[in-house]
Amino acid sequence: MGVEARNRVRRGSGRPTLADVANLAGVGTITVSRALREPERVSVDLRQRINAAIDKLGYVLNPNARALASARADVIGVLVPSLTNNVFAEVLRGIHDGLGDTALQIQFGNTHYSTQEEERLLPVFLSQHPSALIVSGIDQTPATRRLLDEAGCPVVQIMEVGGDPVDMMVGFSHFEGGRTVTQHLIDVGCRRIGFIGARMDPRSLRRLSGYRAAMEQAGLFDAGLVTTTATPSSVSLGCELFRRARESAPDLDAVFCNNDDLAMGVLFACQRAGIAVPQRVCIAGFNDLDMMAVACPSITSVLTPRYEIGRRAITMAQDAIAGERPLEAVVDLGFELKIRESTDRPRC
Amino acid sequence: MGVEARNRVRRGSGRPTLADVANLAGVGTITVSRALREPERVSVDLRQRINAAIDKLGYVLNPNARALASARADVIGVLVPSLTNNVFAEVLRGIHDGLGDTALQIQFGNTHYSTQEEERLLPVFLSQHPSALIVSGIDQTPATRRLLDEAGCPVVQIMEVGGDPVDMMVGFSHFEGGRTVTQHLIDVGCRRIGFIGARMDPRSLRRLSGYRAAMEQAGLFDAGLVTTTATPSSVSLGCELFRRARESAPDLDAVFCNNDDLAMGVLFACQRAGIAVPQRVCIAGFNDLDMMAVACPSITSVLTPRYEIGRRAITMAQDAIAGERPLEAVVDLGFELKIRESTDRPRC
DNA sequence: TTGTACGCGTTATCAA
DNA sequence: TTGATAACGCGTACAA
């Protein structure tokens, strides 16, 4: 049977390919490929003809074919525990901004604060051979940890510093953050300082540890001052938890909230109950959302570098992809205590 | 030269492939492929041997190879204008939840409220041959519109209804939302009702149109009552815009805010300035974030179905991928006016 | 600087 | 129900 007789069936998408461009430009496919990736290595003449052909055909490179051939996708996988939490939304914004105009794509995964879900998600991400991986926190399961160790690509852990880094790390100490706020409340004369926390993910727990350390050192710790729940944080939950806290400790003279949503809720609850802030109860939050500075009264909080964490993480990842290892594999971006009206109390 | 003498070089990632599984199980590669995609069509016996081999090898399918061979990626592209805006974070949460346990992946793109960026991003998404596309709004550029028309996959436009649908649509009428709130303020006796808006994306503009329609119908419209800015919305910006609004209209007796962040800021500004809410100024927001119900006073707002929009969009997309066209290509999910203390004023 | 031949890992086609 | 073979579109190795 002659070749012509064999009814070859093409299965393609019908869109132009590298070969089509090469034909039109009268060059080899590899030259087109090179013109796309390393233009300097192709003569100006050919480059122009190739670009003209690309424009004429409306050619777009097929990333799947590239990933398959090069055993590496131009994708950076990002695993975060939440999308609705403003903190991670800001991290993602930082990542996007830090990305610049590179051809890299970001692929998000939402672990919903579950290490199990993270363990389930990671192989899916890995199966695409990402160029780098950004994961949240330092509390991975052993299986996840092993996958990360063998990922074969740069890995950046974000949000915290500490533990045993898989590779690189950007964050700050939540323990120190919690300790610092609590110490501030002690310094302004508060004695019955409550801790209100929601979700209680690993980072919340470390902020609680910081609170406890400061309280114990001052001889003020009392388990009855701690009110927590696994429920996701919200402003309304802050109201609710404050009521609960006042039940177990009616003499509360300050509250350190796990995050700003809760702090906002506590302020509203105080306003409704006619509790003067800061005269009768001081309030402090965590993260320093925009609204803390304009609330009435304005609320003391800890400014955390979440946007900067995203930017740094993506920069470190890109550098590592380019083969440039950072001088410091672990970057502590710190935090800043913002003292405001809600803790402005003349020291006793 | 004998075949053995040809020093074939394997370039792969080193990870097990479909062929490895086939060898171990003693079957052809295509049978393994089938066992993965359509298990019913493979005999129970072979299926078991294949699954055992997969487990033993720790085989994971290569999505790039699959996408290349089938000219279709198991990916749904999602284009949203913002990640930090709670509204879109909720939409994404709905999308994730609606996804269930399918093998589909979500690929996000952030257009930063720019139709230009959307036009730049879309070809990148299209180049992966996504199974479906979800895009925000109905105000695409002509070029974007053309690409969507020729995308060759289901397309869902979200957030709004109206205009000329590319394919499917889920949302609600922002015009009606704006009109309804404004009418409520008129109904409770307000006359000098200001509009405060930030960002002023197409949906904000349509809410403004709704405001204007209601005001004009009541013979109350006055351009001096409208205060807008292109700056992204925030609580602190709400404070600022309220001050500006009071300068051009000192007799303001109500404010309809573009969204809840601004409304919150207006409330704080009132508290600082000693302006009684709702006695001297009524406040209404848009979206009904959690905090509106617990603020002090609680704030009237329009509950928008953003989470449900995400869920519905992904469901419609999945159905369309499966070949089931929805009965209604355009779904209006409506909204709900939540009347609260901030507009609780005895009618004059 | 440019091209040829082939491999990447999977799926579609068609035959058995 | 199962399999051999070609095809998907691009990158790598090596030669020219």
Side-chain angles (χ1 to χ4, degrees):
Chain A
M1 204 192 293
V3 173
E4 302 88 337
R6 295 203 55 177
N7 192 13
R8 303 258 175 157
V9 187
R10 294 192 65 86
R11 302 181 306 173
S13 58
R15 301 203 337 203
T17 72
L18 207 62
D20 296 330
V21 175
N23 276 338
L24 185 58
V27 301
T29 59
I30 186 61
T31 305
V32 178
S33 178
R34 268 199 285 260
L36 255 28
R37 288 172 299 139
E38 319 167 271
E40 329 72 65
R41 296 191 40 180
V42 174
S43 65
V44 181
D45 175 37
L46 288 189
R47 221 187 301 169
Q48 286 180 336
R49 270 160 55 197
I50 290 171
N51 285 332
I54 288 176
D55 286 345
K56 188 164 181 185
L57 260 33
Y59 168 76
V60 182
L61 185 128
N62 183 326
N64 294 121
R66 163 175 286 185
L68 182 58
S70 64
R72 171 108 320 182
D74 290 336
V75 166
I76 295 185
V78 179
L79 254 29
V80 292
S82 165
L83 247 30
T84 36
N85 184 331
N86 178 280
V87 170
F88 290 100
E90 287 277 307
V91 170
L92 295 183
R93 195 167 61 84
I95 288 177
H96 254 114
D97 288 358
L99 208 51
D101 55 353
T102 58
L104 284 166
Q105 285 287 297
I106 295 295
Q107 172 119 27
F108 295 119
N110 189 340
T111 66
H112 296 99
Y113 287 98
S114 156
T115 55
Q116 294 309 311
E117 186 123 0
E118 184 176 48
E119 188 174 314
R120 202 179 57 71
L121 230 43
L122 194 53
V124 178
F125 274 61
L126 250 17
S127 71
Q128 309 183 45
H129 302 282
S131 295
L133 235 28
I134 297 177
V135 299
S136 302
I138 61 179
D139 301 273
Q140 287 80 20
T141 66
T144 299
R145 173 69 195 220
R146 199 169 48 249
L147 284 175
L148 288 177
D149 283 334
E150 299 166 357
C153 69
V155 175
V156 187
Q157 288 167 289
I158 59 172
M159 304 317 289
E160 296 191 66
V161 291
D164 178 25
V166 172
D167 185 2
M168 294 172 285
M169 219 172 226
V170 199
F172 64 94
S173 167
H174 291 252
F175 175 88
E176 281 304 322
R179 214 184 51 68
T180 301
V181 191
T182 311
Q183 189 59 52
H184 164 65
L185 290 168
I186 295 172
D187 289 346
V188 299
C190 300
R191 288 296 168 264
R192 296 290 288 166
I193 305 168
F195 178 95
I196 288 184
R199 178 77 74 176
M200 300 318 284
D201 60 284
R203 287 168 292 286
S204 297
L205 289 172
R206 278 185 270 277
R207 300 204 277 272
L208 173 54
S209 296
Y211 158 85
R212 180 166 185 156
M215 291 296 276
E216 284 180 340
Q217 201 196 330
L220 296 172
F221 183 73
D222 169 1
L225 290 168
V226 177
T227 309
T228 64
T229 172
T231 307
S233 164
S234 69
V235 177
S236 55
L237 185 61
C239 297
E240 168 63 22
L241 291 180
F242 181 65
R243 287 192 206 99
R244 233 183 278 174
R246 293 250 301 170
E247 281 171 21
S248 57
D251 59 342
L252 228 49
D253 61 6
V255 189
F256 165 35
C257 299
N258 196 21
N259 66 44
D260 289 341
D261 286 341
L262 297 179
M264 202 72 243
V266 170
L267 175 59
F268 288 142
C270 286
Q271 290 181 346
R272 270 193 198 286
I275 298 171
V277 178
Q279 292 78 5
R280 259 180 69 197
V281 168
C282 288
I283 304 176
F286 203 90
N287 281 326
D288 197 34
L289 300 188
D290 160 75
M291 63 181 169
M292 305 313 270
V294 296
C296 184
S298 59
I299 305 177
T300 293
S301 192
V302 173
L303 173 59
T304 55
R306 45 208 190 277
Y307 175 80
E308 192 56 39
I309 285 176
R311 273 200 91 106
R312 264 312 251 290
I314 198 71
T315 304
M316 291 173 83
Q318 285 177 309
D319 288 351
I321 292 170
E324 304 163 17
R325 305 302 302 183
L327 294 174
E328 310 279 343
V330 177
V331 177
D332 184 343
L333 255 23
F335 54 84
E336 185 186 348
L337 178 65
K338 294 286 199 180
I339 300 174
R340 302 216 176 84
E341 294 165 353
S342 70
T343 61
D344 185 15
R345 170 188 281 200
R347 306 178 185 213
C348 317
Chain B
M1 203 192 298
V3 172
E4 302 88 336
R6 297 203 52 177
N7 193 12
R8 303 254 173 164
V9 187
R10 291 191 68 85
R11 303 178 306 171
S13 59
R15 302 206 335 207
T17 72
L18 207 63
D20 296 328
V21 176
N23 276 339
L24 186 59
V27 300
T29 58
I30 189 63
T31 306
V32 179
S33 178
R34 268 198 285 259
L36 255 27
R37 288 172 300 141
E38 319 167 272
E40 331 71 69
R41 297 191 39 180
V42 174
S43 65
V44 181
D45 174 39
L46 286 190
R47 222 187 300 168
Q48 286 180 338
R49 271 159 53 196
I50 289 171
N51 285 332
I54 287 176
D55 286 344
K56 189 164 180 184
L57 259 34
Y59 168 76
V60 182
L61 184 125
N62 183 326
N64 293 121
R66 164 174 287 189
L68 181 58
S70 64
R72 170 108 317 180
D74 290 335
V75 167
I76 296 185
V78 179
L79 254 30
V80 292
S82 164
L83 249 29
T84 36
N85 183 332
N86 178 282
V87 170
F88 290 101
E90 288 277 307
V91 170
L92 295 184
R93 194 166 63 82
I95 288 177
H96 253 115
D97 289 357
L99 208 52
D101 55 353
T102 58
L104 285 166
Q105 286 286 297
I106 296 295
Q107 172 119 25
F108 294 120
N110 188 339
T111 66
H112 296 99
Y113 287 98
S114 156
T115 55
Q116 294 309 311
E117 186 123 1
E118 185 176 46
E119 188 174 316
R120 202 179 56 73
L121 232 43
L122 194 53
V124 178
F125 275 60
L126 251 16
S127 71
Q128 308 183 45
H129 302 283
S131 295
L133 236 29
I134 296 177
V135 299
S136 303
I138 60 179
D139 301 274
Q140 287 81 20
T141 66
T144 299
R145 173 70 194 219
R146 200 170 49 247
L147 285 175
L148 289 176
D149 283 334
E150 298 166 357
C153 69
V155 175
V156 187
Q157 287 167 289
I158 60 172
M159 304 317 290
E160 297 190 67
V161 290
D164 177 26
V166 172
D167 184 3
M168 294 172 286
M169 222 173 225
V170 199
F172 63 93
S173 166
H174 291 253
F175 175 88
E176 282 305 322
R179 215 184 50 70
T180 302
V181 192
T182 310
Q183 189 58 52
H184 165 65
L185 290 168
I186 295 172
D187 288 346
V188 298
C190 300
R191 288 295 167 266
R192 296 291 287 166
I193 305 169
F195 177 94
I196 289 185
R199 178 77 74 178
M200 300 319 283
D201 59 285
R203 286 167 294 286
S204 297
L205 290 172
R206 278 185 270 275
R207 301 204 277 271
L208 173 54
S209 296
Y211 157 85
R212 180 165 184 158
M215 291 295 276
E216 284 180 340
Q217 201 195 330
L220 296 172
F221 183 73
D222 170 1
L225 290 168
V226 177
T227 310
T228 63
T229 172
T231 308
S233 163
S234 69
V235 177
S236 54
L237 184 61
C239 297
E240 168 63 22
L241 291 180
F242 180 65
R243 286 191 207 99
R244 232 182 278 174
R246 294 250 300 169
E247 281 171 19
S248 57
D251 58 343
L252 228 48
D253 60 6
V255 188
F256 165 35
C257 300
N258 194 23
N259 67 43
D260 288 343
D261 286 341
L262 297 179
M264 201 73 242
V266 170
L267 175 59
F268 288 143
C270 286
Q271 290 181 344
R272 271 195 195 283
I275 298 171
V277 177
Q279 293 77 6
R280 257 182 67 198
V281 168
C282 287
I283 303 176
F286 203 91
N287 282 326
D288 197 33
L289 300 187
D290 160 77
M291 62 181 169
M292 305 313 272
V294 296
C296 184
S298 59
I299 304 176
T300 293
S301 192
V302 173
L303 174 58
T304 56
R306 44 208 191 278
Y307 175 82
E308 192 55 39
I309 285 176
R311 273 200 92 107
R312 263 312 249 293
I314 198 72
T315 303
M316 291 173 84
Q318 286 178 307
D319 288 351
I321 292 170
E324 304 162 17
R325 304 302 302 183
L327 294 175
E328 308 279 344
V330 176
V331 178
D332 185 342
L333 256 23
F335 54 84
E336 185 187 348
L337 178 64
K338 295 284 198 181
I339 300 175
R340 303 216 176 82
E341 295 165 352
S342 70
T343 61
D344 184 16
R345 167 188 284 200
R347 306 179 185 214
C348 316

